[in-house]
Amino acid sequence: MDEGIKQTIKEYILKEFLPGERPDALGDSTPLVSGGILDSIATLKLVAFLEERYEIRLEAHEASAENLNTIEEIARLVQSKKG
Amino acid sequence: MKKIAKTLLVAAQLGLFLLVIQRRFQVESPAFVRIVELAIAGFLIHAFLPRRFRLPFFLFLSLAGLLLVFGVRDGTGMIGIGLALVGLCHLPIRFSARVALVLIAGAGLAFLRANPGRSPISQAAWPILGAMFMFRLIVYLYDLRHEKKPVPAAQRLSYFFLLPNACFPLFPVVDYKTFAGTYYDQDEHRIYQRGAQWMFRGLTHLVLYRLIYYYVTLPPNEIVNIGSLGRFLVSNYLLYLRISGQFHIIVGMLCLFGFDLPRTNNRYLLASSFSDYWRRINIYWKDFMVKVFYFPAYFRLRGLAPTPRLLFATAYVFLATWLLHSYQWFWIRGSFPVAGPDIAFWGALGVLVAANSLREMKGGRGSLQGDRACSMREALFLALRVLGMFVAVCVLWSLWTSRALSDWISLWTLAEEGRWEGTGTVLVVLAVLLAAGTLARYAVGRGWRLGISGDSFSYARSAGVTTAALVLILVVGHRSIYSHFGSTAADVIYSLRKPRLSRGDVALLQRGYYENLLGADRMSSQLWEVYMKEPADWQGDPEAMYVERGDFLGRELKPLAEFTAKRFHVRINSLGMRDKEYTREKPAGTVRLVILGTSYVVGLGVPVDGTFEALAEERMNWEGTPETGVRYEILNMGVGGYRMVHRLRAMEEKAFPLDPDAILFTVHETDPASLKDLSDAARNKVPIPYPELAEKVRQARVDERTPEAVAERRLKPIGYEITSWTYREVVRKCRERGITPFWLFLPTTEEHFPADVHRKLRGLAGEAGFEILDLAGVYEGRDVRSLRLGDWDHHLNAEGHRLVADRLYEALVENGTVFAGGGMTGGAPPEAREPEE
């Protein structure tokens, strides 16, 4: 797993959705969707960020908790899309 | 060993839960109790089964639940239809062809739903079948299209045949992926305990709901000032507790079988913005909308800038929500509601959520989400937002639950005088809530938690608190304990034990509103449940029964009409009465009594010779005639829907020409508040045939432009004045003709008898000069519910009519007038009788 992708995603989530939160409070397996950090609007913002940053294209059904619930899963999705 | 103990501890909590719903608070239907019994027995077996057998066992249990609640015919019908629908989703053909086939099957089922005569299953089964498939098939097909891993058939079928569904037609839209993905996703005992905890939480919601429904809600026609308006708005919104309670129980019950589903509501009363409200109130619905409508629309509009994309996608979601609520209503009731308030509510909420979402898209949700520490000032700001949202949602909710936009607008038309009454109370309540909210948010930011709330779940703490709370409810709910709390508290606790209709819903039931109740899909209406029990064609065909007159009386029974209503063949006699045939001319040697009244007197639902007037007449001739030497007739001139002034009019126009010796003027405790005769006449520009009353109505500012609820509200203060006037007119007109006027008080079969109203009416009757036949205590010592035709129809059944007939006969004997001196004065001139003092 590319640690750089995880770090970039983590920084983005901390900046956009958890301002003021301690970085160590957000782990790779912290639940983002079921934990209430990513709601529908936040998910769309995150998807826009991922698509732009990694030049990938996500489909509607991929924007689900199954793929986006943790930083680990998001990074895995990004890597699979990048091929 | 420890695992077994943990399982048994959960089972013990479930046992306590069952005891509470069986012995203390009958919060839902008897079917619910049966399903809970089945779930507990099933849980004890399921929890000890090897994992591979658990899903098939859950499916077996769910199917057994359907058969248990609906019987073999309906149960197998529902299972068969369900299997066929799921089978269509898996045919070895193109996905689009499968979707088309499901749609065709859905259309066929919709046809059967709308045509009960051709339906293979009963009316009661359709809402449940609809709840199982109407939304879950959409989610299932969506996920099936993107499914990659093989899934066991038992899991697929379990998703549709969920055990608690057998008794809940309003069901959370469980997501298929979540259903599959959360199955035993953590320690099983934590999942089971969460289930028991949520079921208990649901129970508390349902008891609270009942408290609000019985004691806080107000009928719209009682809103006269700021205080009552505030009470109406808040209580109306809080009725949602019923749905949140049911949803907690449903999801809790599913947890008992390993489905670790997320919560369905998240402290929705604490929403701080419209988007936040949308996220909290019904999370499963929001997730369904986001998954199937919002994201697909947003992703499809890639070519657009973010703002229009978001706006279009949000508009699409709220349009879909409105349409799908109508669709849901169709499966539940068999017809589509086309309601202005629906459109206005979802439209307004859509605009507000879109505006809020745009703000969040650009600026984020704000830093006070969650439980982070904050200053007192920040806490105050958040509390203000929450309070503002609560008020805004109360207002919006009142719009949604109104039957028509005009009804909602009329809520805000307060009385001219005293409209500011209660303002102080409202402001004090708001200030207290604001202060409490501020302190609570500040405290939460510093790590304070209340009881078992919060996200950090502990098995031991949850089990301890839930067990203790259930034991406490069992103890406090026992008569020997709560009777020590004082009569008021004891009465309240006693009343919460059983389901009944609130005062407002009773009024609607009596007025027959429930037949077209658009407000019933607002998810909280007890009245809707009552309506659901009514057999098809119960009411009969009004066109066959009545002739429209176009005047003040509005309608009358059609002479010689024959029809079926309330399971009995009915024949109207040649004089236009629901009675046996009588000659127009009074036979010699006969004392003729004419009874004027409402549907209680008509007596649909019992045979023509089983109405209380027919039974009393029979007894008078059987027991009275040998003594007096005259025959007795009681002519039934009751007409459904005839209010007090209608009865006066009918007496003059129809009873007097039949040369009666006595008039039995039937009255109910509901009369003074039920002036629909006058308000309808004024609103429909039909002349009121009594100038004094017409003037009173005019002075009350009721005319053709006045909405119904406002008209009722404006006439209510003069209810007793109109009653008194009507009584005096009845007596005067009878005395002028030498007819004896009897005031026949017949209480309705509602549980709560307003003794003060009865006293006042009896006083007015005495002052007017009536002979009194007071049957106020006629149902004493009996459970009034056992004297009704059914839950959906509170008119008297055969036993009720017999009871009233006996009491009426005794009252007539006690009064003596009818049996005195070989009968009555008959058509003697008025001066022949002593005027009543």
Side-chain angles (χ1 to χ4, degrees):
Chain A
M1 183 70 69
D2 188 336
E3 289 301 318
I5 294 178
K6 284 200 225 171
Q7 188 56 33
T8 306
I9 294 168
K10 181 174 178 174
E11 281 168 11
Y12 177 78
I13 290 172
L14 280 169
K15 179 170 146 266
E16 286 292 325
F17 311 128
L18 296 168
E21 193 62 77
R22 286 178 296 109
D24 56 344
L26 179 64
D28 287 355
S29 56
T30 304
L32 301 173
V33 178
S34 53
I37 297 167
L38 284 188
D39 60 17
S40 54
I41 299 288
T43 301
L44 291 178
K45 285 172 91 168
L46 175 66
V47 166
F49 167 75
L50 297 174
E51 288 187 333
E52 192 182 327
R53 178 77 173 72
Y54 298 106
E55 296 178 334
I56 55 174
R57 185 184 164 105
L58 296 176
E59 298 303 324
H61 71 273
E62 291 169 326
S64 64
E66 199 181 21
N67 294 315
L68 304 178
N69 201 32
T70 62
I71 290 174
E72 183 98 36
E73 284 161 355
I74 300 169
R76 197 177 301 129
L77 175 71
V78 170
Q79 272 200 326
S80 71
K81 284 282 171 180
K82 283 176 75 180
Chain B
M1 195 65 195
K2 197 175 169 190
K3 284 184 177 176
I4 293 174
K6 278 185 167 181
T7 304
L8 293 178
L9 182 54
V10 172
Q13 293 166 67
L14 296 175
L16 290 170
F17 179 91
L18 181 63
L19 278 176
V20 169
I21 61 170
Q22 278 177 334
R23 306 264 175 94
R24 297 292 183 268
F25 298 101
Q26 192 191 322
V27 288
E28 286 292 327
S29 63
F32 170 64
V33 177
R34 289 205 293 278
I35 288 295
V36 171
E37 288 166 348
L38 184 68
I40 295 173
F43 167 72
L44 278 168
I45 299 169
H46 180 272
F48 294 106
L49 281 177
R51 186 69 66 88
R52 68 178 185 283
F53 294 130
R54 290 186 185 179
L55 259 178
F57 180 76
F58 174 73
L59 178 61
F60 164 76
L61 205 64
S62 300
L63 299 179
L66 279 178
L67 294 169
L68 181 72
V69 172
F70 288 95
V72 174
R73 186 173 167 267
D74 274 346
T76 49
M78 293 161 84
I79 293 167
I81 293 171
L83 290 176
L85 285 170
V86 180
L88 289 177
C89 299
H90 290 277
L91 285 177
I93 53 176
R94 276 204 343 257
F95 184 77
S96 55
R98 282 183 268 161
V99 171
L101 283 176
V102 170
L103 286 173
I104 291 167
L109 290 172
F111 174 78
L112 294 174
R113 175 70 184 105
N115 296 278
R118 301 177 185 210
S119 170
I121 56 175
S122 72
Q123 287 293 89
W126 277 108
I128 300 297
L129 187 70
M132 290 195 290
F133 290 94
M134 64 182 155
F135 297 130
R136 269 177 252 163
L137 264 181
I138 299 173
V139 181
Y140 185 69
L141 282 168
Y142 182 91
D143 283 336
L144 193 61
R145 192 176 186 187
H146 306 292
E147 197 171 72
K148 288 172 188 149
K149 297 176 197 162
V151 176
Q155 181 175 304
R156 294 186 189 284
L157 293 174
S158 294
Y159 173 64
F160 291 100
F161 298 103
L162 294 170
L163 176 63
N165 221 155
C167 56
F168 289 113
L170 292 169
F171 207 84
V173 186
V174 177
D175 181 66
Y176 177 63
K177 256 189 186 171
T178 310
F179 176 78
T182 57
Y183 186 59
Y184 283 114
D185 63 349
Q186 59 165 317
D187 172 61
E188 61 187 42
H189 295 99
R190 284 172 63 89
I191 303 176
Y192 300 156
Q193 180 53 42
R194 193 189 292 275
Q197 179 184 313
W198 280 0
M199 287 175 73
F200 163 69
R201 192 178 290 182
L203 176 70
T204 61
H205 284 208
L206 292 178
V207 175
L208 260 178
Y209 156 80
R210 192 168 277 176
L211 185 72
I212 291 164
Y213 177 66
Y214 289 173
Y215 294 102
V216 190
T217 52
L218 277 180
N221 62 4
E222 290 185 15
I223 301 169
V224 289
N225 53 39
I226 295 288
S228 51
L229 177 63
R231 179 175 159 186
F232 173 84
L233 293 175
V234 171
S235 60
N236 187 49
Y237 175 40
L238 292 183
L239 292 181
Y240 188 78
L241 278 168
R242 175 126 197 251
I243 293 304
S244 61
Q246 289 180 343
F247 281 14
H248 272 94
I249 289 176
I250 289 167
V251 174
M253 202 183 282
L254 291 173
C255 285
L256 300 178
F257 298 93
F259 302 103
D260 190 20
L261 293 169
R263 66 177 91 184
T264 57
N265 312 95
N266 181 19
R267 303 174 207 169
Y268 54 92
L269 299 178
L270 301 180
S272 60
S273 70
F274 284 101
S275 300
D276 194 28
Y277 172 72
W278 174 245
R279 289 185 199 109
R280 287 170 180 262
I281 180 81
N282 184 349
I283 296 171
Y284 284 31
W285 182 265
K286 183 265 297 175
D287 287 347
F288 168 52
M289 284 288 112
V290 165
K291 175 176 180 166
V292 179
F293 296 93
Y294 188 65
F295 280 177
Y298 191 86
F299 280 75
R300 196 171 275 253
L301 296 167
R302 271 179 205 278
L304 296 178
T307 300
R309 271 173 93 182
L310 187 137
L311 290 177
F312 277 123
T314 308
Y316 180 50
V317 162
F318 279 89
L319 179 68
T321 296
W322 169 59
L323 284 171
L324 288 175
H325 269 85
S326 299
Y327 163 80
Q328 178 186 36
W329 183 238
F330 169 78
W331 288 108
I332 289 173
R333 258 205 60 181
S335 60
F336 281 103
V338 183
D342 251 2
I343 301 168
F345 173 78
W346 290 114
L349 193 59
V351 168
L352 293 163
V353 170
N356 219 231
S357 301
L358 267 182
R359 202 172 63 83
E360 285 183 10
M361 191 76 154
K362 286 173 182 162
R365 267 197 284 169
S367 59
L368 284 180
Q369 296 296 327
D371 297 342
R372 268 165 272 165
C374 62
S375 68
M376 193 62 93
R377 192 170 163 225
E378 286 172 322
L380 173 66
F381 180 66
L382 182 67
L384 262 175
R385 279 176 57 186
V386 169
L387 200 58
M389 264 311 298
F390 179 74
V391 172
V393 171
C394 284
V395 172
L396 270 180
W397 205 264
S398 69
L399 170 65
W400 195 34
T401 52
S402 293
R403 286 182 303 120
L405 279 173
S406 58
D407 283 3
W408 184 73
I409 292 165
S410 75
L411 292 179
W412 308 90
T413 317
L414 301 178
E416 292 274 295
E417 288 173 22
R419 68 169 61 168
W420 300 109
E421 259 177 49
T423 309
T425 311
V426 170
L427 289 175
V428 167
V429 170
L430 288 175
V432 168
L433 287 174
L434 186 64
T438 305
L439 289 173
R441 178 62 188 85
Y442 183 77
V444 164
R446 266 144 191 78
W448 180 80
R449 293 285 181 279
L450 174 67
I452 55 174
S453 68
D455 295 326
S456 53
F457 182 83
S458 146
Y459 173 90
R461 189 176 55 171
S462 167
V465 173
T466 305
T467 306
L470 283 165
V471 169
L472 186 70
I473 292 175
L474 268 174
V475 172
V476 171
H478 195 275
R479 188 190 289 263
S480 64
I481 302 295
Y482 69 70
S483 57
H484 295 296
F485 297 164
S487 61
T488 308
D491 285 350
V492 168
I493 294 173
Y494 180 77
S495 70
L496 295 178
R497 295 165 59 109
K498 294 250 164 98
R500 65 173 166 88
L501 293 177
S502 68
R503 211 156 37 87
D505 276 353
V506 165
L508 289 177
L509 183 73
Q510 285 169 346
R511 290 157 57 151
Y513 268 10
Y514 68 107
E515 291 167 55
N516 299 303
L517 193 71
L518 294 174
D521 68 333
R522 308 316 185 210
M523 303 181 183
S524 59
S525 178
Q526 299 275 128
L527 200 51
W528 169 72
E529 287 180 9
V530 166
Y531 170 79
M532 290 295 293
K533 291 180 188 169
E534 185 185 285
D537 303 326
W538 174 258
Q539 299 289 343
D541 176 12
E543 284 188 16
M545 300 182 205
Y546 298 108
V547 183
E548 293 298 324
R549 295 169 49 108
D551 64 0
F552 180 71
L553 279 178
R555 65 183 189 179
E556 62 191 6
L557 289 169
K558 194 187 282 185
L560 300 176
E562 294 195 36
F563 53 87
T564 300
K566 305 186 183 182
R567 295 210 177 103
F568 280 92
H569 177 76
V570 179
R571 182 181 177 278
I572 304 301
N573 72 14
S574 57
L575 297 174
M577 295 180 282
R578 200 270 162 129
D579 210 334
K580 64 184 181 189
E581 279 297 336
Y582 291 96
T583 55
R584 189 173 289 276
E585 294 295 319
K586 183 169 64 183
T590 299
V591 170
R592 174 171 277 184
L593 290 78
V594 171
I595 182 166
L596 292 148
T598 61
S599 44
Y600 268 81
V601 173
V602 179
L604 295 182
V606 297
V608 67
D609 55 0
T611 61
F612 72 83
E613 62 81 16
L615 294 169
E617 180 193 72
E618 189 186 356
R619 191 167 169 194
M620 287 166 83
N621 285 309
W622 182 255
E623 296 182 19
T625 303
E627 297 274 327
T628 60
V630 295
R631 290 206 56 79
Y632 296 94
E633 290 179 346
I634 304 182
L635 278 58
N636 185 342
M637 213 166 262
V639 178
Y642 270 18
R643 282 3 190 230
M644 196 168 47
V645 187
H646 282 145
R647 283 171 244 154
L648 164 64
R649 187 69 185 155
M651 178 186 81
E652 291 180 88
E653 195 180 312
K654 297 174 165 198
F656 285 166
L658 296 174
D659 191 18
D661 298 291
I663 290 289
L664 303 183
F665 193 80
T666 313
V667 302
H668 305 296
E669 72 277 13
T670 49
D671 280 354
S674 182
L675 301 171
K676 204 166 181 300
D677 40 9
L678 298 176
S679 66
D680 277 0
R683 292 175 63 247
N684 297 324
K685 292 177 78 171
V686 172
I688 295 170
Y690 305 102
E692 299 92 325
L693 291 185
E695 179 57 20
K696 286 183 198 297
V697 171
R698 197 190 61 76
Q699 284 174 358
R701 294 181 302 111
V702 174
D703 57 29
E704 69 272 17
R705 290 159 301 182
T706 315
E708 189 175 356
V710 176
E712 287 178 14
R713 217 180 295 153
R714 288 178 178 167
L715 288 174
K716 203 174 172 194
I718 56 170
Y720 286 113
E721 201 180 315
I722 288 171
T723 304
S724 173
W725 183 91
T726 308
Y727 284 5
R728 281 184 278 112
E729 280 297 288
V730 171
V731 171
R732 183 176 68 79
K733 286 179 172 164
C734 283
R735 297 288 186 214
E736 279 173 3
R737 291 164 178 77
I739 299 168
T740 307
F742 283 98
W743 180 81
L744 170 57
F745 183 84
L746 175 62
T748 64
T749 60
E750 301 313 326
E751 279 97 337
H752 287 276
F753 179 69
D756 54 332
V757 177
H758 165 252
R759 267 195 305 276
K760 179 103 180 161
L761 291 180
R762 184 169 171 147
L764 293 177
E767 285 167 19
F770 270 114
E771 298 286 339
I772 304 290
L773 299 172
D774 191 348
L775 312 190
V778 66
Y779 313 128
E780 256 170 34
R782 305 294 295 264
D783 179 356
V784 281
R785 287 173 299 183
S786 70
L787 303 174
R788 295 171 180 164
L789 288 173
D791 288 346
W792 61 92
D793 192 326
H794 289 194
H795 292 100
L796 291 165
N797 60 18
E799 196 187 346
H801 275 275
R802 273 195 297 275
L803 204 63
V804 172
D806 288 344
R807 186 70 195 87
L808 172 60
Y809 178 77
E810 288 159 15
L812 284 167
V813 170
E814 203 176 304
N815 175 273
T817 314
V818 173
F819 299 104
M824 299 186 69
T825 52
E831 57 274 18
R833 284 179 58 86
E834 287 293 314
E836 298 285 328
E837 287 302 319

